[in-house]
Amino acid sequence: MSDRLTNPEKTLRIGPMMTMGHIPDLDPRMRIVLAALFAVVVISLSDLIALCLAVLVAVTLLPLSGLPAKRTFKRMAAMDGFIIFTLILLPFSVAGTPMFTFLGFDASWEGLRQAVEIALTANAVILALMCLVGSMEPVTMGHALHALRMPEQLVQLLMFTTRYIETLREEYMRLRAAMKMRGFRPGTNWHTYRSFGYLVGMMLVRALERSERVLGAMKCRGFMGRFVLLEQFRMTDRDWLFAALMTAASVFLLVVQFRHAFA
Amino acid sequence: MPLLELRDISFAYPAHAPVLEGANLTIHAGERLSIVGPNGVGKSTLLKIAVGLLRPSSGQVLAFGQERRTETEFAEVRRRIGYVFQDPDDQLFCPTVAEDIAFGPLNLGKSRDEALAIVDDILQQLHLTHLRDRITHRLSGGEKRLVTLATVLAMEPEMLLLDEPTNALDVENEARLIEILQNLPQAILLISHNPEFSAKIAPRGYGLRAGKLERLAG
């Protein structure tokens, strides 16, 4: 758990100061909207050429986003890990022209095609999402979502999570260190399960108590149940240009998809 | 007229022996008092009762000349009394320093621009302008403490409640805090286990023992 949250990896960006790419300077609201638009368009594609082009668009975004390519591809591969079994099983589960037979099961060309489609769709969407949205601080994302009129409660949940995840992680690390100092070594036995149960339980109790203290502190500063956020965003010419390019790319993908219908 | 008066306050947490039994306290404008006593005797509890975060089982809380009982009555008290919590992580809940400081003024109905002006003002006053856009959880312990003070001062309170403000402070930041507090006009009610610090901020005060407050000589 703790290794997943090492400092430099908390956001995809290396640090708040990193401005290698152009995308991090663009309006975050627009980036979220464009990521959503791109995702919807790509999901509606089934033509393999269109899908390959979609992946190409997403790959083009990568150098613009300033994200480290290697780590980003690693994260993409991690997502692929979730769908790999679906992809492997699809040729066997979809009926159609047999490709080959494995242990008495027929693999179909139609199934393979579907698997490729899903793999391309998923990777294009996730890569574009990482480049457009993953390159912003969670805090900025919260503000942008608020500016996009997302439900206030959800935005607040996100903001509180980003604020307290580090505090919780530190608490976890402290408790873990304390356990280690008393000779605790995790194994496959009841003592380990029970101890981890206590650890999680203790963190829950502390989190609950903390939430009460935080609410108290908020009341002391006049909190009446409504948040007012400070940040204001403004679209610049560069933002509009980027939005126009991304929209054009999405429309182009749709044109490629439906080119036979137009012809 | 005292700013704050606690009369005969008794309080017990559910299923526990009473912590406070007939505690009395009075503090006037500009006055600086400390409350001393061992851990767990109810010092923080007393401060929470003063701002209505906890309700006493018996006794009266009088703030700014009026008795306070209901949540609405305490809401006004909380605007005029600034409370600096023991753990800065409990208090700094906004993602950035500027937002955290603006939170109070915005709740008081200030406009965005007014709130931002207050933020810059307070930060300048405390020489913390360099922290303005920092992410709160990435601040050091000392920085967090000074920022919590800024968040409270942004509401222009008439009185401050400080709950062990020197916790987790290094020598340098402690000196900064002392300097800041000594130059503030507000009345202060201080809980501290640090005798040197209390001597500089609020040498006179009360001892809390067996649920009662005793005025200390000095």
Side-chain angles (χ1 to χ4, degrees), chain A residues 143 163-164 213 221 230, chain B residues 89-90 92 99-100 112:
Chain A
H143 285 155
R163 167 61 185 87
Y164 282 104
R213 292 196 302 270
R221 289 201 276 150
L230 273 182
Chain B
D89 269 322
D90 292 340
L92 300 177
E99 279 174 299
D100 221 304
R112 198 184 291 257

Side-chain angles (χ1 to χ4, degrees), chain A residues 70 109 136 149 160 180 210 216 231 246:
Chain A
K70 204 173 153 197
W109 285 106
M136 68 177 86
R149 308 252 180 281
F160 273 102
K180 252 185 221 160
R210 182 182 295 280
E231 202 153 328
M246 266 310 275

